[in-house]
Amino acid sequence: MAKRKVGIVSCSGEEIPEGTISRVATRLVLEKLRPEETVTICLPLFLAGGEDERAFAQVFPTITVDGCEKRCAKIGTEKYSGNPTATIVVTDLLGKYPKLNLKSRDELSAEELKFAEEVAEEIAKRVDEALSLESLDKRDEQCRKKEK
Amino acid sequence: MPEEGKVAVVACAGMDKALGSVARDSVFRVVEVLRPDKVELLSLPPLLAGVPSQSGLVRSLPVVIVDGCAERCATKLVVKSGGKVSGRILVPTSAKKYSLTPDSASNVGLNGERLSEMIAEEIASIVDKLTEKK
C-alpha cells in the first residue's frame, strides 16, 4: 500500500520577507525534517489549473504555509480543492520573537534562518498530527466495518 | 496606486524546481539592484487572492513575466487576471542558451546564481525598451 503523504502548499510571497521564510521553512520540511511524509504542491501551478496538484489536494491532507494575514495559499487551497488540514501563518509565529526584525526578501541572515527553522518545526508537528488523525480515522472506519 | 511609466515584473515561484528558484532570484535582482526605479514587483498568490494593490498593478502596467517551466503558470495567471503581457522569459530556454544548470531548488549554487544574473540582465533590457517608448 502506498504511504500516505501530506501536501504542503506554501506562499511564495516575493513582496515581503515572511514569504521567503515560508518558502525556506517548507523546503526544510521537505528535504530534512519529513522527507518521506511530505510533498510540495506548487502554488502557482495549483492556481493556474494544474490538475495533478488539485487532485492530490482533494484526496490527501494539506497544510498551507502563508507568509502573512492575506493567507493566499489557504484561500487558493480552499477555493480549488477543499479546507486544508492545518494552516500556518508566519506573521502569527513572529509574535513569539518580538525582537526579530525580518529584512531579507532574498537571502536570509543567520537569525532569519534560525526563525525559518522554528517555522519548519511547527510545520513538521502539523504533518505528524495530520498523519496521526488520518490513521485514527482509518482505524475507526475499520472498526465500524467490522461491527457491521 | 501604481506609478505610470513603470513596468510590472513577475516570476513563477515554483517550489519544487531549481529553475523556479532562479526565476525568483532574477526578479529580485531587477527589483532591488538593476532597475529599482523602473519596476514594480507583482506577486502571483495575492494577485489570485484578489488583493487590490496587485490587481491594480496588473491592469495598469505592462507586465514582464519570468516562467520557471513549460507550464507557464505566471503567464496563464497574468492573462487570467487581465494583464498586458509585454515581455516573457522562459527560464529553461535561458538555461540552455547559457549552458548553466542550477544545483537545487533550495540552493541554486554558483551556476544558478550566474543564470539568474543573466536572466536579470535580459529582464532589465526589456524594461528599458518598454520605458523608452513612453
Side-chain angles (χ1 to χ4, degrees), chain A residues 10 12-15 19-20 23 26-27 30-31 40 42-45 47-48 70 72 75 79-80 105-107, chain B residues 11 13-16 20-21 24-25 28 31-32 41 43-46 48-49 51 54 71 73 76-77 80 105-106:
Chain A
S10 175
S12 57
E14 290 86 8
E15 298 176 287
T20 302
R23 195 179 168 90
T26 297
R27 286 238 64 94
L30 293 166
E31 292 173 6
T40 178
C42 179
L43 184 56
L45 182 56
L47 296 173
K70 292 189 187 91
C72 303
I75 289 170
K79 187 174 179 180
Y80 294 112
R105 287 195 298 191
D106 198 0
E107 296 222 16
Chain B
M15 282 284 295
D16 53 350
S21 296
R24 195 168 188 265
D25 281 353
F28 277 138
V31 169
E32 294 180 356
L41 179 61
S43 186
L44 294 174
L48 269 290
V51 174
Q54 299 292 294
E71 295 281 359
C73 301
K76 287 176 192 168
L77 292 171
K80 190 175 174 179
S106 301

Side-chain angles (χ1 to χ4, degrees), chain B residues 3-68:
Chain B
E3 217 174 298
E4 281 190 25
K6 287 196 173 185
V7 175
V9 291
V10 61
C12 140
M15 282 284 295
D16 53 350
K17 293 187 172 71
L19 295 177
S21 296
V22 168
R24 195 168 188 265
D25 281 353
S26 67
V27 164
F28 277 138
R29 285 178 196 272
V30 176
V31 169
E32 294 180 356
V33 179
L34 297 182
R35 299 290 185 272
D37 299 330
K38 289 188 176 184
V39 298
E40 295 275 1
L41 179 61
L42 186 62
S43 186
L44 294 174
L47 174 65
L48 269 290
V51 174
S53 60
Q54 299 292 294
S55 309
L57 275 181
V58 84
R59 289 193 182 118
S60 60
L61 297 181
V63 184
V64 174
I65 295 171
V66 186
D67 275 306

Side-chain angles (χ1 to χ4, degrees), chain A residues 33-50:
Chain A
L33 298 184
R34 299 292 184 271
E36 303 298 318
E37 292 89 349
T38 55
V39 293
T40 178
I41 293 177
C42 179
L43 184 56
L45 182 56
F46 185 82
L47 296 173

Side-chain angles (χ1 to χ4, degrees), chain A residues 4-119:
Chain A
R4 291 288 283 180
K5 295 207 177 196
V6 175
I8 315 279
V9 190
S10 175
C11 149
S12 57
E14 290 86 8
E15 298 176 287
I16 53 173
E18 288 84 348
T20 302
I21 296 284
S22 299
R23 195 179 168 90
V24 170
T26 297
R27 286 238 64 94
L28 284 170
V29 174
L30 293 166
E31 292 173 6
K32 291 185 180 167
L33 298 184
R34 299 292 184 271
E36 303 298 318
E37 292 89 349
T38 55
V39 293
T40 178
I41 293 177
C42 179
L43 184 56
L45 182 56
F46 185 82
L47 296 173
E51 287 176 11
D52 290 345
E53 317 315 270
R54 291 186 183 182
F56 182 97
Q58 280 168 354
V59 175
F60 290 83
T62 53
I63 294 172
T64 56
V65 184
D66 279 302
C68 71
E69 74 287 349
K70 292 189 187 91
R71 292 181 159 88
C72 303
K74 179 175 185 276
I75 289 170
T77 304
E78 285 171 348
K79 187 174 179 180
Y80 294 112
S81 51
N83 291 340
T85 304
T87 64
I88 287 176
V89 182
V90 171
T91 44
D92 289 348
L93 296 175
L94 206 48
K96 293 181 193 171
Y97 304 88
K99 292 182 183 172
L100 180 58
N101 185 15
L102 298 180
K103 291 178 187 170
S104 320
R105 287 195 298 191
D106 198 0
E107 296 222 16
L108 301 183
S109 65
E111 206 183 19
E112 288 163 339
L113 189 53
K114 184 84 178 65
F115 176 60
E117 289 166 356
E118 301 282 343
V119 176

